[in-house]
Structure formats: structure tokens, C-alpha cells
Amino acid sequence: MSSNISPWIESLEPELLQLGDTSIAVTTLQRTLTAIGLYRRFIDGYFGPTTEQAVRQLQNRLDIAETGKFDKATWHALAVWPKGKNIGIAGPIRSRSAIAHHGQT
């Protein structure tokens, strides 16, 4: 895949994540959303209203249906997003290592 965050996204698998879910996959999603500037809350692995809103913003920027659920269509659209193309307010998509170390000093 051409996105430089695709290894991170691929680790999620194209499963459905939605409001009320709690899992490692939600934590990974929150880290990804944080790295691209769409999620600015504590990363806790809980898919609450703030995570849902961030997913809606992501879907809007990917020009796909805004369901608020991280579904197969959202996973695929994000995984194939062109490398370096601006998707969030934080600038171009960063590398997996930048996502993994986001916020660490």
C-alpha cells in the first residue's frame, strides 16, 4: 500500500470499531487519529463520543460516508491514502515511528 501509515493501519485489520467498544484496536485507532491531528484526548482504548467525532472528521476528509464507525470502508480509504498527502490538521501523514512515539519526550 502507498500510505506511510499503512503498517499501523494494517495492524488494526478491517474490523468494525464503534461507539462503546473498548480494545487495543481502539487504542491503535486513537493513536492514529492523534498523529494526524484529529483526536486530542487521552488515549484510553474506549471508543466514546470524542473518538466517534474524530472518525467522522476523518471520513469527511477521506470523502467517504460519515458514519462515525471505523469500518472496512474507512480502513481501506485510510490505508490507501497517498503518502505525504495532508489529511488532518497536523500536516502530512507521518511515519509509523512518529505515530508510535507521538507525545513522548
Side-chain angles (χ1 to χ4, degrees):
M1 294 189 177
S2 60
S3 169
N4 57 355
I5 63 166
S6 62
W8 196 252
I9 294 303
E10 286 171 1
S11 73
L12 284 175
E13 299 294 326
E15 65 180 276
L16 176 66
L17 300 175
Q18 60 188 340
L19 193 62
D21 288 348
T22 303
S23 67
I24 298 286
V26 174
T27 300
T28 301
L29 174 61
Q30 289 172 333
R31 285 183 179 150
T32 301
L33 293 168
T34 296
I36 58 179
L38 297 175
Y39 184 80
R40 296 175 183 250
R41 299 288 180 136
F42 183 72
I43 295 171
D44 58 4
Y46 173 68
F47 198 119
T50 305
T51 304
E52 182 182 49
Q53 182 58 37
V55 170
R56 284 183 187 280
Q57 291 174 355
L58 173 66
Q59 291 167 331
N60 176 271
R61 291 166 194 232
L62 293 171
D63 198 28
I64 59 175
E66 294 179 41
T67 64
K69 298 175 183 179
F70 191 81
D71 53 14
K72 288 182 182 185
T74 307
W75 177 88
H76 179 72
L78 185 56
V80 300
W81 192 257
K83 181 178 179 177
K85 185 170 181 182
N86 190 346
I87 195 172
I89 59 175
I93 296 174
R94 293 181 271 173
S95 69
R96 181 179 181 190
S97 62
I99 294 170
H101 294 91
H102 181 74
Q104 296 180 2
T105 54

